[in-house]
Every structure is written in structure tokens, then in C-alpha cells.
Amino acid sequence: MTEDDIVNEELLTIGAFAARARLSAKALRLYDRLGLLAPAHVDEASGYRYYRAGQVEHARLVALLRQLDMPLARIAEVVGAQGTAAADLLAAYWADVETRVAGQRTLAEYLRGRLSGRSSEMYDKFVVETVDVPARVVITETRHTLADELPAWIGASLDRLLQAARECGGVAGEPFVVYHSEVSMESDGPAESCVPVADEAAARAWVEAHGRAGATRVRVEPAARLAYTRIAKAQVAHPQILAAFGAVEQWLAGEGLEMAGPCREVYFADWDAAGPGDPVCDVAFPVK
């Protein structure tokens, strides 16, 4: 492309384009490197970048979306969409941000209470009881997962296991999730979804025929005494649920009891039908 071609196509040097877009040349080079805004032309001999005047609005949009800390892949989706579709993508992203910030705010309040020595005040609203549960045969699915992926995986894995249990003599108890190690944004568990089944032989045959290799199995969950507190649907989300676990742990210490196994969440209600204030889950620890 010659200088005449550049003039005829109204291409701008990176300096002129940066001035129009109110951005720096450094930012434009970064956007090019990230695949968010490519120059209209790059001179093979000199390496000079040239932009069309019509790319100004695109450049400004990318810069504004970057100020929202939007991931690069989502920026690409927004700038590649048209009209209301782009606005809807932005709205969906911002709803995710507000959900995350609300969770972080709740976690900060929880931690502030712990650091200021007010843990007991936070835990007093939880009623802790014990219950004896018999040994049960369970069909399970185990996965290493971080906290942001956990809710979706719990729902999907329990749906799979409940369907399997119905094909294996029926569901023989409340489904539950066992945390063999911490699940957070840095620690990936693993977590184990469990559904009691009526027919052990049928369950083992189902796993052999349909189970996920290395993830699905059948085992016997031993009889145990559980210390638990009951929580509502709105309290199940992380980090709100941390206060419930903390309340049970404090109660155990006060009663002189020891944990006899990993903590768990026992789901006894129809999740989809429950409202935010409806009890749906027991946060529990096996004790001795």
C-alpha cells in the first residue's frame, strides 16, 4: 500500500488515530497485541500501523470496557455484537460483577466480625442439633472444583446421580455433598456429591455401564452422628454459608466434641421450588 493509497482510504497514522481516539499509542499497541483492535494496515517495510477513522468509536469502546475490568474474551464478544445484543452482553457481565461484589461484601463483614472478636454474636442465630444417621449405600461423583464453579457442578452432579438412583431401586435418602478438603478460589477440594440408593448391586452395574471414569463410584457411607444447623436457600451461597459452618464448629468446641469426618451439606428440599427464606440445607459435621 502506497502513501497515495493511505490518503485515498483516509487511513491515519497511529499518532493521529491515538489523538482522535484520546488514547495513547501504547494502549493501541496493547489492544492490537490482545486481539481487540487490529490496525487497518501495517506497512511491511517500516512496521508503521495505520487505522481507519471509522475505528475510533471501536477503540474508545474497548478502552471503556477495560475500565470495567472486563475479561478480554468478553470484551471481544461485546465489541463484536450489534445494538441491543452488545448492551445485553454488558448487562449480563455487570450483573455477574454485582453478584461477586455482594458476596465479597458479605465475606468482609463476616471476617470483620471474626477479627473483632464478635464471632459468637454472628453464630448465636444458628441452632445446632445432632442426629444419628444409619449406614447407607451411596452412588457418588467426585470432582476437584473451585468455588465459582461449585454451585453449577453440585446441581448438575446431583441431577445425574438422582436419575441414576431412580434406575437402581430408587432414592433411599437425602442427597448430600461431602467436602474432603476446602473449596475456595484457591483450593479445589475435592467435593463429592452423594445420593443414597436402594439397590447396591444395581448401582454398581449402573456405574460400570454409565459412570464417569475416575469420578463415579458406589460406596458405603458409615453410620454417624451428625451435628448440624439448618439454613435457608439464601444462606447457601458462598460466603454466607461460612457463618453456618463456623457456628457448628464453635458449638462442637463448646460441647467438647470432636469431628469424625469431613463436613457436608445435606439437601432435603426442592431447590427450584424453594424461596430465598425457605430452609433447604443442613450444614453438618460427623462427630464423636
Side-chain angles (χ1 to χ4, degrees), residues 139-143 150-163 176-177 191-195 212:
I139 184 169
T140 83
E141 185 176 317
T142 301
R143 179 177 172 179
L150 180 65
W153 174 77
I154 288 177
S157 62
L158 288 181
D159 283 346
R160 288 189 289 268
L161 295 175
L162 286 166
Q163 181 58 41
F176 57 98
V177 178
E192 181 186 23
S193 290
C194 306
V195 174
R212 299 185 169 204

Side-chain angles (χ1 to χ4, degrees), residues 186-267:
E186 287 77 36
S187 178
D188 63 353
E192 181 186 23
S193 290
C194 306
V195 174
V197 295
D199 189 330
E200 179 177 358
R204 293 190 182 279
W206 187 94
V207 169
E208 185 174 348
H210 307 290
R212 299 185 169 204
T216 312
R217 65 182 180 128
V218 175
R219 66 176 179 84
V220 176
E221 174 75 5
R225 170 165 289 185
L226 299 180
Y228 71 94
T229 188
R230 184 152 291 183
I231 60 175
K233 184 175 181 177
Q235 296 172 298
V236 173
H238 187 277
Q240 291 90 322
I241 200 169
L242 295 178
F245 280 108
V248 179
E249 290 178 293
Q250 178 176 273
W251 184 87
L252 293 177
E255 296 293 318
L257 297 173
E258 296 181 16
M259 299 176 195
C263 60
R264 59 206 56 207
E265 298 164 10
V266 182
Y267 292 93

Side-chain angles (χ1 to χ4, degrees), residues 27-37 58-59 61-81 89-90 93 97:
L28 292 174
R29 293 188 187 96
L30 174 64
Y31 296 168
D32 182 18
R33 188 166 66 250
L34 298 177
L36 298 176
L37 178 65
H58 185 127
L61 178 58
V62 170
L64 291 171
L65 293 174
R66 293 270 293 172
Q67 291 183 38
L68 294 177
D69 293 327
M70 183 178 284
L72 301 179
R74 297 190 76 160
I75 290 178
E77 290 178 2
V78 172
V79 298
L89 288 170
L90 175 57
Y93 167 73
V97 170

